[in-house]
Amino acid sequence: MTGSFWWDLLIGLAAALLLAWAALIVALLVVRPRGGLLREALRLLPDVLRLVRRLAADRSLPRGVRIRLGLLMVYLALPIDLIPDFIPVLGYADDAIIVTAVLRGVVRRAGLDAVRAHWPGTDDGFAAVVRLTGLDRP
């Protein structure tokens, strides 16, 4: 392209990172909760974070589930996000969407009883988590 190996490498890496970022944004838009569920997810985030920590520490769950939950906790702890947190609403929405997507898989694999046993919040909050994970649909 430019004739210089290093410039070509830098341009290629930048294009690959931009393409990967765009693909992740599209994936977030596909798995995002519909309607008012995103607002509920943001409201429930502290309870869900405690739930994730408790589930990740439960040795009776399959290893794959605990690994996913551990990776989720690492992602949430990192200061680098898909959408920076200083952007109002959207900054925390990407975290809520990713947590929701991971919880969907975890609940389907580990079972609703395991999640219920570790849920730190109210019954209404648990009902919202069930809606968010899609378990209220047959």
Side-chain angles (χ1 to χ4, degrees):
M1 279 173 49
T2 64
S4 169
F5 170 76
W6 295 109
W7 279 111
D8 289 345
L9 180 65
L10 185 63
I11 291 170
L13 284 174
L17 286 173
L18 185 63
L19 184 62
W21 182 78
L24 286 171
I25 294 296
V26 169
L28 285 175
L29 291 173
V30 169
V31 299
R32 79 178 189 280
R34 304 290 185 237
L37 289 179
L38 181 59
R39 199 170 304 114
E40 283 186 69
L42 290 172
R43 184 177 50 87
L44 292 172
L45 202 53
D47 286 337
V48 170
L49 291 176
R50 284 193 299 271
L51 171 70
V52 168
R53 184 180 49 80
R54 290 176 181 181
L55 286 170
D58 185 355
R59 297 254 182 225
S60 67
L61 295 179
R63 179 179 292 169
V65 168
R66 293 192 328 258
I67 289 172
R68 277 185 237 157
L69 291 167
L71 290 173
L72 175 63
M73 288 190 299
V74 168
Y75 171 78
L76 293 173
L78 288 175
I80 300 170
D81 279 347
L82 294 175
I83 302 172
D85 290 339
F86 64 83
I87 297 174
V89 181
L90 292 177
Y92 292 105
D94 72 323
D95 293 341
I97 292 168
I98 289 173
V99 167
T100 300
V102 170
L103 272 182
R104 282 179 184 169
V106 167
V107 169
R108 287 189 172 102
R109 181 109 191 266
L112 190 59
D113 293 335
V115 175
R116 183 65 182 139
H118 293 289
W119 178 248
T122 64
D123 290 337
D124 289 340
F126 183 73
V129 168
V130 168
R131 284 193 306 277
L132 285 169
T133 55
L135 293 177
D136 59 341
R137 289 177 239 127

